């Protein structure tokens, strides 16, 4: 329900879908019954989708498109769910129920998956069904203290007017990255001719820090013992340990984000390292599955050094969710939910500056 939260109260949700029963339960706890259908998208029918929607938002699985994935791309079992999703869109088109705007959200690895062919395929199918499309890369760090760049492909039906002020004459920083420009340059003629460079407004400067989101007495994640914190410090390379020493010397309460990663030592052997950042933002939240580690935090204040897992409420705050948003009681379920989501204020920014102006024309 994070895309729904970002769209806001002026929008009416007609239908939602997820195959995960646990996520669906949380959706119902926050949004009520009636809209969400828990089912594999491959089994959905056009009749499951009611009325005519102005907007269809699709966040399909990223595993086969991410740099950490197996590289299967749109042919993979998980990211390949794009195809049954698109089949639904084609059925709606045949029934004269095509949405005016379709937004796809995924990891930036989509741009270079299979040498850019997967991105080109997505743009091609948009063009083949009468949609102009363009893309932007938005790092959530512009809105919340979390490093989380994501790709948003926005398609607009050909008969829908796009206001001139939303059209740029070329790529714009920071929305059109080098990888996106390269992917665009590799597009075949038809999708290139249907391409839109979105003129997205810059947001106001973020005024929150990672430390602002940290709970002193979190639920479900105890502070580490001194011995556990020492073991974590012992896992740091000299470069990362110096960051901690600098934080202690500053005399200011500082919060760092830690991920454990496998690195090679001087002899070429693989060892686990604890890598920390003190740049006022957290690392990108990821689902705690497939070997991905859970993010830890370290609070340094003078000679005091404390550490623990990041709490589920803290992860929700980093996704832009209000504290009254109901989370699963189970820590791993809550972490999986937030790590798999889309950042709420990012959705709001796209809605306010691209989607809503188009629909008001």
């Amino acid at each position: 329900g994070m895309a729904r939260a970002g769209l806001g109260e002026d929008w009416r949700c007609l239908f939602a879908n997820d195959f995960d029963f646990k996520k669906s339960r949380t959706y119902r706890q926050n949004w009520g019954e009636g809209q969400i259908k828990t089912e594999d998208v491959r089994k959905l029918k056009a009749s499951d989708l009611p009325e005519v929607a102005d907007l269809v938002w699709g966040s399909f699985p990223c595993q086969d498109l991410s740099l950490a994935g197996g590289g299967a791309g749109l042919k993979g079992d998980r990211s390949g769910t794009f195809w049954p999703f698109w089949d639904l869109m084609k059925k709606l088109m045949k029934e004269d129920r095509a949405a005016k705007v379709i937004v796809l959200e995924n990891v930036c690895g989509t741009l270079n998956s299979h040498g850019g062919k997967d991105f080109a395929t997505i743009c091609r199918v948009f063009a083949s069904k009468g949609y102009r499309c363009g893309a932007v890369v938005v790092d959530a760090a512009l809105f919340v203290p979390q490093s989380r760049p994501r790709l948003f492909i926005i398609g607009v039906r050909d008969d829908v007017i796009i206001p001139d002020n939303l059209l740029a004459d070329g790529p714009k920083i920071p929305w059109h990255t080098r990888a996106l420009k390269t992917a665009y340059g590799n597009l075949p003629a038809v999708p290139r001719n249907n391409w839109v460079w979105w003129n997205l407004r810059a947001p106001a400067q973020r005024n929150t820090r990672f430390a602002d989101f940290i709970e002193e007495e979190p639920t479900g994640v105890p502070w580490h013992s001194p011995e556990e914190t020492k073991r974590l410090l012992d896992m740091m390379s000299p470069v990362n340990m110096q960051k901690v020493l600098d934080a202690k010397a500053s005399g200011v309460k500082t919060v760092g984000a830690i991920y454990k990663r496998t690195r090679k030592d001087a002899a070429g052997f693989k060892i686990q390292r604890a890598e920390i950042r003190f740049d006022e933002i957290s690392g990108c939240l990821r689902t705690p599955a497939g070997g991905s580690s859970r993010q830890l935090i370290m609070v340094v204040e003078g000679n005091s050094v404390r550490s623990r897992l990041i709490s589920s409420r803290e992860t929700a705050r980093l996704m832009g969710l209000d504290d009254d948003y109901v989370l699963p009681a189970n820590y791993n379920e809550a972490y999986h939910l937030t790590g798999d989501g889309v950042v709420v204020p990012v959705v709001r920014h796209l809605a306010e500056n691209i989607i809503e102006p188009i629909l008001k024309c």
Side-chain angles (χ1 to χ4, degrees):
M2 296 180 212
R4 180 171 177 174
L7 289 171
E9 296 181 357
D10 290 339
W11 286 76
R12 180 168 66 97
C13 180
L14 299 174
F15 180 79
N17 165 246
D18 200 296
F19 79 103
D20 190 311
F21 283 91
K22 295 175 182 178
K23 289 183 183 177
S24 297
R25 181 175 62 229
T26 301
Y27 184 98
R28 292 186 176 94
Q29 288 175 321
N30 287 282
W31 303 105
E33 301 287 344
Q35 288 87 35
I36 192 161
K37 184 178 180 68
T38 308
E39 185 60 270
D40 190 322
V41 68
R42 297 175 179 88
K43 297 181 180 179
L44 293 179
K45 304 178 180 64
S47 58
D48 292 319
L49 281 65
E51 303 182 40
V52 181
D54 290 315
L55 166 69
V56 173
W57 183 286
S59 295
F60 57 102
C62 68
Q63 291 93 333
D64 299 310
L65 295 167
S66 70
L67 296 177
L74 293 181
K75 295 180 181 179
D77 290 339
R78 294 163 294 188
S79 299
T81 53
F82 166 76
W83 293 113
F85 165 83
W86 193 252
D87 286 340
L88 277 175
M89 298 302 99
K90 292 191 293 184
K91 291 173 183 176
L92 293 179
M93 294 169 196
K94 288 182 179 179
E95 296 177 5
D96 200 25
R97 294 199 288 140
K100 293 179 181 178
V101 180
I102 300 175
V103 178
L104 300 177
E105 177 265 340
N106 216 298
V107 294
C108 297
T110 306
L111 293 169
N112 48 39
S113 174
H114 287 164
K117 292 180 180 178
D118 286 333
F119 179 72
T121 295
I122 293 172
C123 295
R124 176 178 54 78
V125 298
F126 266 112
S128 69
K129 291 303 177 182
Y131 281 78
R132 300 177 69 188
C133 82
V136 291
V137 172
V138 183
D139 190 342
L142 292 170
F143 303 88
V144 295
Q146 181 196 175
S147 172
R148 192 181 186 86
R150 288 294 184 268
L151 174 71
F152 298 86
I153 304 172
I154 304 169
V156 181
R157 211 171 62 201
D158 277 346
D159 62 333
V160 175
I161 296 173
I162 301 176
D164 289 341
N165 67 309
L166 299 186
L167 302 174
D169 56 6
K172 300 290 184 181
I173 295 173
W175 316 116
H176 304 123
T177 61
R178 179 183 298 179
L180 177 52
K181 289 184 285 188
T182 298
Y184 164 77
N186 292 330
L187 289 178
V190 173
R192 278 188 69 140
N193 291 336
N194 282 271
W195 182 262
V196 174
W197 289 112
W198 293 112
N199 186 27
L200 184 59
R201 180 179 63 85
Q205 185 172 357
R206 173 172 55 84
N207 58 7
T208 55
R209 305 173 304 142
F210 185 32
D212 298 331
F213 287 47
I214 299 305
E215 300 177 292
E216 184 60 35
E217 298 181 2
T219 301
V221 284
W223 289 95
H224 288 162
S225 67
E227 292 75 22
E228 289 173 312
T229 298
K230 183 179 183 302
R231 282 197 294 271
L232 194 60
L233 291 168
D234 288 343
M235 292 173 64
M236 293 184 180
S237 67
V239 170
N240 282 273
M241 190 61 210
Q242 187 60 51
K243 295 178 184 179
V244 178
L245 295 175
D246 291 343
K248 293 174 70 174
S250 72
V252 178
K253 184 177 181 179
T254 310
V255 179
I258 299 173
Y259 269 120
K260 293 179 181 178
R261 305 186 190 279
T262 300
R263 303 296 189 196
K264 288 184 178 180
D265 63 13
F269 294 104
K270 291 183 177 180
I271 60 173
Q272 194 173 47
R273 289 292 196 187
E275 298 184 350
I276 193 166
R277 59 190 299 170
F278 284 109
D279 56 356
E280 303 289 3
I281 62 176
S282 84
C284 183
L285 294 173
R286 301 191 296 265
T287 57
S292 294
S293 65
R294 296 160 181 80
Q295 193 164 187
L296 298 104
I297 66 169
M298 180 167 283
V299 179
V300 181
E301 191 170 10
N303 288 324
S304 171
V305 180
R306 296 179 296 160
S307 63
R308 61 169 169 81
L309 283 171
I310 192 169
S311 76
S312 56
R313 180 55 61 189
E314 289 160 351
T315 67
R317 291 173 178 174
L318 290 170
M319 296 303 292
L321 290 166
D322 294 334
D323 280 356
D324 58 0
Y325 186 90
V326 180
L327 294 172
N330 179 276
Y331 178 79
N332 282 343
E333 288 180 23
Y335 203 123
H336 192 279
L337 179 96
T338 54
D340 224 11
V342 59
V343 173
V344 172
V346 172
V347 178
R348 175 88 299 270
H349 192 71
L350 292 173
E352 182 179 353
N353 294 284
I354 295 181
I355 302 168
E356 292 169 357
I358 290 172
L359 296 178
K360 288 176 181 176
C361 285

